[in-house]
Each structure stands twice: as C-alpha cells, then as structure tokens.
Amino acid sequence: GLSTVSAQTLGDFKPGKAGPKSLERPKFDNKNVYIADFAVHYQVYSEKSASKEGGSGIYGKVMGAAKASLAVGLDISQETLQKITDEAYAKFIADLKANGFNIMQGDEAKNTDFYKGYKYSTNLSMSPSNTMEGAVTVHPQNVGFFYNEKGSSTNTTKLSKELNDAAVARIDLYVEFVKTNGSNKSGIGANVVAKTNLVLSDNNTIAHFIVGRNKIGGSPLGEYQGVLNKDLDIDGVIKEEKITNYVASDYDNWGTSTAFGRVYSAKNKATSKAAIVPADADKYEKGVELAIDTFLSHHISEFKSKFFK
C-alpha cells in the first residue's frame, strides 16, 4: 500500500561559490584528499531578550523598564545529532571515492609542522559551538582529527604542501531551527518573536578545498569554497510558526546550565516564557541528512570538474 509517512523534502537549493576567481585553472593529477575538519553545528536552543526603557518624567520613576525574554529549545537527542553526523560523514567519504578521490587517514599528518603542538583524537566530544549561539558542535566518531584549544588554523595551504599537494578539505555545516528577534512594541513593554524553520543555514556553511601552495606569496595553487546563497529549507520536520512573548515587567532568566547551555524543563512551559519545539527524531535525521548530502555532493562534483582532469 501507499506509505503514509510524509516525505522530508527540501526547498530551493541555491548553491554558490565564494572566494578567489583564479584566472588560470590548474588541473591536478594527485587525487589524495585530507579531511582537516568535518563539523556539524546544530542549533538546539535560542534565547533572546528585548527591553524597553521606562517612560520619562514622573511615570518613568514608577514604571521602570520592561524586559521580555523568550527561550526556545529543540526537542532532539544527542544520539540523533551524533548519528546524523556519522552518517553524513560516511556519505561524504563515499561521494569523494565515487569521484575518484583517495581519502587519507587522519594520522598521516602527524609529522607535519602544521600540526605541531596539536592533539589528535578519533572521538571528539560534543561541545558548545564557538561560532553559533545556542548550537552544539558535533564531529563524526572513529575518525581522526587534530585539534588544539586555541582553535584550528584555517590557512591550510602549508598543510597541503606538506602532504605533497593533497587537497585539504574543511567542512562546516550549520543547521538552524529558529530565528529570534527582539522588537520594541509601541506602548508599555517589550516583545520577542521567534520564527521556527529548520534549515541548512547560508551563514557560515562551507565546503572548503585547498590544493598546494605557491612558492611566492603563499597563496593556494587551487582553492574551492562551496557555499549556500540562501538557506536550504528542510520541510516536513518541524512546524513553522511564530512564537511570541510579551511581558510588561522585569523578571529573572531561568533554566539549568549544562555543557550545551540552558536546558529547559517542561514545567516551565506554562510560564509562556519558554517554548519547546517538538521534532520527530526520524524525520529530523532524514531531513537534515538529505540537506547535507545535497550540499556536499554538489560541491564535490564542482570541485572535481574545476580542478581535475
């Protein structure tokens, strides 16, 4: 019979290329690829406040300032985030191999000057994202990456040169579920509006490949930066809606602090200062993987056609 499960579909896919437009396009023979980083940053909560200053004159002294705060959490488990990341990485590797690339092992870079002073791990744990508020950064497990506390250098031309001009890939993917804005209403009080919509974000999402290093100037011999020109919608996973919170007086923020940031308990829902966005784990997984695969497979083939025979 017909399946009643609604399919996860994507909105318009508008990929773009950023970065340098080189005049000559060298064609490389060496199809070794070294993956310096593969990270998926999942937005799991958002918290925004808006405030309105008290009125002027005599009333201002009495009324004080109003502050609205709205917290929105996504109901999805760490296990699901890890599974998506592992599967997206496996698909990325399979895509590269299908295009004739050879994948180097992480520890093949252990004697490079580039990674001097770095630590190496095959199971990096989840951590709060440095680049996206309310997001957690997830790496595939059982895959080796070099890392250092100060954050990795993104200028990988030296690394490529040390690896005999292997292409060095850096993948950063940002999955966002809500955009939150504070807006000041006229009159008394403050207002915050959150709009839920699951997307692969056009902010910071990139598939970056660098090949070699010019002797003079140190620029790469070849560079490809695959980006998104607009958010890639992941439809059929979470309800798209506006969540608003309007309050007319001060109160404290609440919540329990964890490694991920704030964790919300259901009993707080009644305060109308918090919203938990429900998500079906299975649909979330399928939808996000579909978006990531669509993005990466497009840019792998573009990179290949641009720089390889």
Side-chain angles (χ1 to χ4, degrees):
L2 288 172
S3 161
T4 53
V5 179
S6 69
Q8 277 59 70
T9 56
L10 300 178
D12 289 347
F13 176 48
K14 293 259 170 73
K17 294 188 208 34
K21 302 267 185 283
S22 51
L23 295 173
E24 307 167 52
R25 291 208 179 147
K27 293 282 184 185
F28 301 110
D29 294 317
N30 176 355
K31 293 188 94 177
N32 285 346
V33 174
Y34 183 83
I35 300 166
D37 201 17
F38 185 101
V40 190
H41 310 264
Y42 301 90
Q43 185 189 35
V44 289
Y45 77 94
S46 171
E47 186 172 23
K48 268 276 190 336
S49 298
S51 57
K52 193 173 173 68
E53 287 174 23
S56 55
I58 191 164
Y59 291 109
K61 292 188 179 69
V62 181
M63 280 167 48
K67 184 172 175 199
S69 182
L70 176 66
V72 185
L74 180 68
D75 181 20
I76 212 82
S77 74
Q78 298 178 28
E79 289 75 21
T80 298
L81 301 185
Q82 190 62 63
K83 192 176 171 207
I84 293 169
T85 309
D86 292 354
E87 288 174 0
Y89 179 81
K91 177 77 168 53
F92 177 61
I93 296 298
D95 264 359
L96 284 167
K97 287 179 175 168
N99 277 281
F101 290 104
N102 166 52
I103 313 304
M104 298 175 71
Q105 293 306 304
D107 58 4
E108 289 186 61
K110 66 175 178 292
N111 297 322
T112 58
D113 283 341
F114 185 84
Y115 281 133
K116 253 201 179 73
Y118 279 66
K119 297 188 178 85
Y120 181 74
S121 171
T122 55
N123 53 351
L124 285 171
S125 54
M126 296 186 184
S127 59
S129 167
N130 299 326
T131 32
M132 185 184 202
E133 211 182 326
V136 57
T137 296
V138 187
H139 285 86
Q141 298 299 284
N142 307 313
V143 178
F145 297 104
F146 286 91
Y147 68 98
N148 97 28
E149 268 58 62
K150 296 186 281 291
S152 310
S153 163
T154 54
N155 180 8
T156 48
T157 52
K158 290 191 176 88
L159 178 59
S160 177
K161 185 168 184 275
E162 288 192 84
L163 297 174
N164 301 315
D165 291 352
V168 175
R170 280 184 53 252
I171 307 298
D172 267 308
L173 306 155
Y174 288 81
V175 181
E176 185 184 71
F177 81 98
V178 65
K179 286 184 174 23
T180 323
N181 292 302
S183 63
N184 286 342
K185 271 198 156 144
S186 55
I188 303 158
N191 190 34
V192 187
V193 179
K195 201 168 178 315
T196 58
N197 184 22
L198 187 63
V199 300
L200 184 62
S201 172
D202 61 10
N203 272 344
N204 297 326
T205 289
I206 190 168
H208 193 189
F209 296 89
I210 275 180
V211 186
R213 180 177 169 86
N214 279 305
K215 285 185 180 67
I216 298 162
S219 61
L221 299 174
E223 178 172 16
Y224 180 86
Q225 297 184 41
V227 296
L228 276 171
N229 283 342
K230 63 174 265 209
D231 284 346
L232 178 54
D233 282 333
I234 303 166
D235 298 323
V237 179
I238 65 174
K239 202 168 145 208
E240 291 176 29
E241 57 188 347
K242 266 190 181 170
I243 301 166
T244 59
N245 186 31
Y246 176 82
V247 285
S249 59
D250 262 339
Y251 61 82
D252 288 335
N253 280 354
W254 48 268
T256 318
S257 216
T258 70
F260 280 2
R262 280 195 202 300
V263 163
Y264 309 104
S265 62
K267 66 175 191 295
N268 283 326
K269 284 192 199 178
T271 62
S272 82
K273 295 162 191 166
I276 305 285
V277 175
D280 177 303
D282 211 41
K283 290 180 177 179
Y284 182 90
E285 185 187 319
K286 286 194 181 75
V288 173
E289 277 183 28
L290 181 61
I292 291 174
D293 293 348
T294 301
F295 175 78
L296 291 177
S297 62
H298 170 85
H299 287 304
I300 289 169
S301 64
E302 287 287 298
F303 169 61
K304 182 191 170 183
S305 66
K306 184 171 172 179
F307 287 115
F308 295 87
K309 294 180 175 67

